[in-house]
Amino acid sequence: MKLQMLESSSLPFFIAFVLLLLLFVVLIRKNSTAALIWNEIIREKITNFIMNQSKEQRILNFVLQNAVRGDPCSVLDTIDKYCSQKEWAMNVGNEKGLILDKTVEEANPSVALELGTYCGYSSVRIARLLKAGARLLTVEFNPEFAAIAKQILEFAGVQDKVKLLEGPSEEIIPQLKKKYEVDTLDFVFLDHWKDKYTPDTILLQECNLLRKGSVLLADNVIFPGAPEFLNYVRNNPRFQCTNYPSHLEYMKAEDAMEKAVFLG
């Protein structure tokens, strides 16, 4: 009798749990923020605990096992496959990657700067398009991400074109001229913390690293969003802006990239 009473009293809680779980599944499918919370916090933490390794290490292992060494396009395709079919990750992705490709090709930079290396996806994407003698400086604050990126850059065969700089962007940018022999930057890709976009853009100007015609391209200006940056460059007579609507990497959520050309 007591067992039956216990089972009957537990039934409403079980039903409530199932309904809550179903509601969360619907939210994940319908709401991009919920999907990101699931992918970046809940699912990733659980998988990290079970496998005793980070998502970024799993991406690296997948590349090492499935991509062709020395083939940048194979590395990019392999990362895209993993992140679209297995675990979401904050690379620029294949859709917005085409916008990045076009912008890099149009800018044809001799010296390019990337803020936010992560696993090296966009570094590989940019480096494979650089002309002979050109170089990319990429800045990453997280030591674990930097270590992963170095291995991916080497595996892709672009390590001679890319120099990875570890540390905060606000400390590295002022060092670019003297320590890394940068006169001015032809192209800058902003893909780090969104609240850093505006102060780092201002810092680039204060350090005289932008010339007339320097091209800035900012990712994720809609989702998760960089409203302060958009307000700054769009209302600044020193920049000419173009918006490229797209979607959040490996998702259906609306996003966009913003190109800002420095007018001097």
Side-chain angles (χ1 to χ4, degrees), residues 28-254:
I28 291 172
R29 292 183 177 180
K30 298 290 185 180
N31 186 283
S32 299
T33 301
L36 275 182
I37 291 173
W38 167 253
N39 284 304
E40 284 290 274
I41 300 177
I42 303 173
R43 178 183 175 185
E44 180 180 340
K45 299 300 182 186
I46 293 172
T47 309
N48 290 355
F49 177 77
I50 294 172
M51 301 189 70
N52 194 32
Q53 63 177 190
S54 69
K55 175 176 64 179
E56 292 72 29
Q57 185 64 52
R58 293 190 290 275
I59 292 173
L60 171 63
N61 291 342
F62 192 78
V63 168
L64 298 179
Q65 294 167 10
N66 295 279
V68 178
R69 177 178 286 275
D71 185 341
C73 291
S74 173
V75 170
L76 295 174
D77 289 343
T78 302
I79 295 175
D80 284 333
K81 181 178 180 181
Y82 186 89
C83 296
S84 60
Q85 297 180 6
K86 295 181 180 292
E87 291 185 273
W88 184 90
M90 55 182 179
N91 310 302
V92 69
N94 48 357
E95 182 181 352
K96 286 185 294 184
L98 296 177
I99 300 171
L100 175 60
D101 290 352
K102 181 181 178 182
T103 307
V104 171
E105 289 171 340
E106 290 175 349
N108 193 26
S110 295
V111 183
L113 173 68
E114 176 187 33
L115 300 177
T117 314
Y118 188 44
C119 290
Y121 177 95
S122 48
S123 300
V124 172
R125 192 147 201 137
I126 294 169
R128 83 193 204 288
L129 299 174
L130 293 179
K131 59 190 175 185
R135 58 179 174 144
L136 168 66
L137 302 169
T138 181
V139 180
E140 178 52 56
F141 175 76
N142 186 309
E144 181 190 348
F145 295 167
I148 297 290
K150 285 178 182 177
Q151 295 180 72
I152 287 182
L153 291 168
E154 190 278 330
F155 189 86
V158 298
Q159 70 276 12
D160 293 339
K161 294 182 177 182
V162 183
K163 186 171 186 61
L164 200 158
L165 312 177
E166 288 187 49
S169 55
E170 65 270 19
E171 293 182 8
I172 291 177
I173 288 173
Q175 300 176 2
L176 291 178
K177 279 189 176 288
K178 288 187 177 181
K179 190 171 182 178
Y180 301 103
E181 300 180 334
V182 174
D183 182 16
T184 55
L185 298 162
D186 305 304
F187 174 75
V188 180
F189 183 46
L190 298 97
D191 196 20
H192 54 332
W193 293 106
K194 311 314 163 192
D195 60 356
K196 295 283 189 181
Y197 282 15
T198 302
D200 282 351
T201 298
I202 293 171
L203 187 57
L204 289 168
Q205 295 171 77
E206 291 175 345
C207 294
N208 297 312
L209 286 162
L210 301 183
R211 59 161 177 83
K212 184 177 180 180
S214 292
V215 177
L216 279 65
L217 184 67
D219 191 19
N220 302 123
V221 297
I222 300 299
F223 195 99
E228 182 185 357
F229 173 78
L230 291 180
N231 182 63
Y232 174 74
V233 293
R234 289 177 179 178
N235 293 288
N236 191 325
R238 304 187 77 183
F239 289 99
Q240 183 179 55
C241 298
T242 306
N243 186 263
Y244 298 100
S246 187
H247 297 90
L248 181 66
E249 48 269 25
Y250 317 115
M251 288 190 181
K252 295 180 180 179
E254 290 186 2

